[in-house]
Amino acid sequence: MKIAFTTCTNSWVPFARVVGKTLLEHNPDYQYYICITDKKEADMDPFYEGFNIVPCDQIGMEGLDDMVLRYGINIKNALKPFYLEYFSKKFPEAEHIFFIDPDMMIFDKLTEIERLHRESDILIFPHLLKPQPFDGKHPNEISYLSTGTYNLGLISIKVNENTMRFIEWWRERLREYCYFDWKAGLFSDQKWINLAPVFFDKVANVKHPGYNIGYWNLHERTCTRENGKVMVNKEFPLVIYHFSNINIRNHKLFDTQQNRYTEADVPLLMELFEQYRSLSLAEGYEKTIGKPCYYAQVHAAYHRAESRKTLKGRIKLWVKANFPKSFRAKLKKTMSGFMEG
């Protein structure tokens, strides 16, 4: 038995369906679960249909309500180890348990995962496998000193004492410290995993370049079609592409987070993106993408109430209500520089 799961809000369920269908197309020996970091809702039933749905309020964890108030919609990242624990206890006989972000597409068998798990308990996926040039473009290596060596869109574990210690450690760190806080050295769930190879045994880096390709590592990975099959660097099959920072409505593979490439530079990747886009639309993207997250609403209401208790908080609420986000970002940057100066 092999278990795979993703986490998402209701608005992203169509993406979760795409990754699930493409996973099972190439790996039918997996059991796949869509883990909803949202309330399960009746009007979503057509989009849940055909998949195992596991809402986060049904996994028996403690402290969910407090975490909702702390994180809001970003609880989806904090809950990864809680779900790993849930599946480890539910399926102790599983060969391995594989987490995969919903914004991915599977193109081949996961043979490298299975090969590495013969010797290793915990598999983690580096953002980069080769140095990135310092040429004034972004992202660069400094970006991953800030956001983490490893991309937590993927992680895989075997079920044993070593990994249960890892899960407990990661779970308790994310319970309190799954923030985006540059000055504190935190970047959601990712930065903690920099410590995993030091603290735990049998941790392996997945260095197969066909896994977790995204805008951050295209300097080292070139996709071509060889004998009808998409290959990476002409040697490795493309297994998982990470469609991070895309824009479905505007047909953009690269939206805002990088300036190294344009869509014209990567015609084959654009072909794959259009395939992914078509699948996402067919699974209901336009019908769900605007759906609000229940936990985000709870979080926002709580913090509005807390803000109204202080003058500073009321000023912040007034600014937020009367000025666009772009202006607020500039104002925050200006005030931060003024205070530091």
Side-chain angles (χ1 to χ4, degrees):
M1 178 188 297
K2 302 164 189 173
I3 305 297
F5 74 98
T6 194
T7 59
C8 66
T9 61
N10 283 319
S11 64
W12 271 42
V13 167
F15 290 137
R17 293 178 64 87
V18 172
V19 73
K21 285 187 173 182
T22 58
L23 168 76
L24 296 173
E25 177 186 353
H26 298 286
N27 302 271
D29 52 339
Y30 275 74
Q31 291 186 26
Y32 174 71
Y33 295 81
I34 298 176
C35 299
I36 305 296
T37 56
D38 209 335
K39 283 288 188 182
K40 192 175 182 182
E41 299 182 11
D43 66 343
M44 287 293 297
D45 283 347
F47 305 99
Y48 299 151
E49 187 177 354
F51 287 91
N52 300 303
I53 306 297
V54 186
C56 60
D57 60 359
Q58 296 180 18
I59 63 173
M61 64 172 287
E62 296 181 359
L64 176 61
D65 291 343
D66 289 339
M67 290 178 67
V68 167
L69 298 183
R70 190 174 299 122
Y71 299 130
I73 197 169
N74 288 321
I75 199 172
K76 66 182 185 299
N77 296 319
L79 288 179
K80 290 176 190 176
F82 292 87
Y83 272 111
L84 285 173
E85 181 178 46
Y86 168 78
F87 286 116
S88 296
K89 292 179 177 179
K90 184 177 179 66
F91 302 110
E93 73 281 16
E95 292 180 38
H96 57 261
I97 300 171
F98 182 45
F99 168 78
I100 181 168
D101 260 353
D103 56 346
M104 296 191 181
M105 185 170 170
I106 314 298
F107 291 88
D108 212 329
K109 288 186 173 295
L110 302 177
T111 52
E112 185 71 357
I113 303 294
E114 295 161 15
R115 185 186 73 81
L116 290 173
H117 266 315
R118 292 172 195 154
E119 301 293 334
S120 302
D121 292 343
I122 303 166
L123 306 184
I124 51 181
F125 296 75
H127 279 105
L128 311 174
L129 300 177
K130 294 182 180 179
Q132 210 164 28
F134 278 89
D135 51 9
K137 296 181 180 180
H138 65 267
N140 58 37
E141 291 167 14
I142 294 174
S143 305
Y144 304 105
L145 294 177
S146 299
T147 63
T149 302
Y150 303 99
N151 184 286
L152 265 295
L154 298 169
I155 188 169
S156 188
I157 66 160
K158 290 168 71 173
V159 182
N160 55 35
E161 291 183 7
N162 181 42
T163 56
M164 292 309 291
R165 287 193 298 271
F166 160 71
I167 289 169
E168 181 180 0
W169 167 80
W170 195 29
R171 180 196 69 200
E172 292 311 304
R173 299 309 179 270
L174 298 194
R175 188 187 295 276
E176 299 284 345
Y177 301 106
C178 190
Y179 291 110
F180 297 94
D181 187 336
W182 303 108
K183 291 183 179 179
L186 297 175
F187 187 81
S188 190
D189 57 316
Q190 282 192 169
K191 289 289 287 292
W192 291 107
I193 300 302
N194 287 3
L195 298 171
V198 181
F199 291 169
F200 302 96
D201 297 327
K202 295 188 176 181
V203 180
N205 290 312
V206 179
K207 293 190 174 184
H208 187 299
Y211 286 72
N212 204 31
I213 303 180
Y215 67 82
W216 49 85
N217 53 34
L218 293 180
H219 69 288
E220 65 185 29
R221 309 187 197 192
T222 300
C223 291
T224 56
R225 201 178 292 279
E226 309 289 334
N227 298 318
K229 189 177 182 69
V230 179
M231 302 293 288
V232 182
N233 300 339
K234 294 186 178 295
E235 183 179 353
F236 302 92
L238 171 63
V239 183
I240 302 177
Y241 195 95
H242 195 158
F243 287 101
S244 179
N245 194 231
I246 62 173
N247 188 314
I248 291 285
R249 286 175 174 159
N250 294 329
H251 293 259
K252 291 181 69 66
L253 174 61
F254 306 125
D255 200 9
T256 60
Q257 294 184 359
Q258 68 86 40
N259 65 1
R260 291 186 176 277
Y261 306 98
T262 67
E263 282 83 2
D265 296 325
V266 288
L268 178 54
L269 294 185
M270 279 301 296
E271 180 183 327
L272 300 180
F273 167 64
E274 289 297 342
Q275 180 184 356
Y276 177 75
R277 179 180 181 276
S278 295
L279 291 172
S280 301
L281 290 171
E283 294 297 338
Y285 168 86
E286 290 287 3
K287 295 178 181 178
T288 69
I289 195 61
K291 193 171 183 61
C293 172
Y294 171 81
Y295 294 126
Q297 293 176 315
V298 171
H299 174 267
Y302 170 77
H303 285 278
R304 280 196 301 269
E306 289 296 298
S307 294
R308 292 191 186 102
K309 295 178 181 179
T310 66
L311 176 61
K312 181 179 178 181
R314 291 194 293 274
I315 292 172
K316 284 186 175 181
L317 289 174
W318 180 83
V319 170
K320 187 174 182 178
N322 289 278
F323 295 95
K325 187 175 181 179
S326 58
F327 175 83
R328 299 199 306 270
K330 291 179 182 178
L331 179 63
K332 183 177 181 180
K333 185 176 181 180
T334 300
M335 294 302 294
S336 175
F338 174 76
M339 295 300 293
E340 291 176 0

